[in-house]
Amino acid sequence: MPRDYDEKRDFIRVDVDCEIHFKPEGGGQEEVGRLANLSGRGMMFITRHEIPIDSVLEVRIQAENQVTAPLHAMVRVMRMAKQRRGDGFEVGAIITGVIDEE
């Protein structure tokens, strides 16, 4: 199926605007950020604090709408940058594993 856009990624990014709850692997203080986009392989979210690259986080996403399914997963931070507009930080992470809720 041909794509009608210039997308070079394996998975299409979907814009999402909802809370993301995250904490360091193995425990620690849970923080809340804002999810900006999500794909089949990764995500980008906004947080108030810097997160070191290569950090492993446990994340939970429960969208306010019924369109986006909940997600409980482990991610690895691949990119972190100061927001161009705003006081937070943009965090790019890849999903390393999905946690089964059962």
Side-chain angles (χ1 to χ4, degrees):
M1 176 178 194
R3 294 180 178 169
D4 293 335
Y5 54 89
D6 188 22
E7 177 67 66
K8 309 260 188 297
R9 300 174 181 273
D10 291 336
F11 295 96
I12 298 169
R13 287 191 221 181
V14 178
D15 290 335
V16 181
D17 182 19
C18 68
E19 284 187 351
I20 180 170
H21 296 258
F22 61 93
K23 63 182 176 181
E25 178 182 38
Q29 178 75 25
E30 183 175 273
E31 295 187 47
V32 178
R34 200 81 197 159
L35 186 64
N37 65 53
L38 182 64
S39 77
R41 186 166 176 194
M43 62 184 65
M44 195 274 283
F45 62 95
I46 309 298
T47 181
R48 291 184 292 253
H49 307 287
E50 292 185 58
I51 299 175
I53 291 176
D54 281 333
S55 295
V56 176
L57 305 173
E58 179 180 346
V59 299
R60 286 182 185 271
I61 301 165
Q62 179 68 53
E64 290 94 20
N65 63 44
Q66 298 301 316
V67 176
T68 306
L71 176 66
H72 185 196
M74 300 302 293
V75 301
R76 179 176 304 278
V77 175
M78 303 304 290
R79 183 180 67 81
M80 200 279 311
K82 181 84 173 101
Q83 273 186 297
R84 285 179 234 131
R85 285 171 273 176
D87 297 328
F89 295 88
E90 296 178 353
V91 177
I94 59 169
I95 299 169
T96 59
V98 175
I99 299 171
D100 192 0
E101 293 293 323
E102 293 182 36

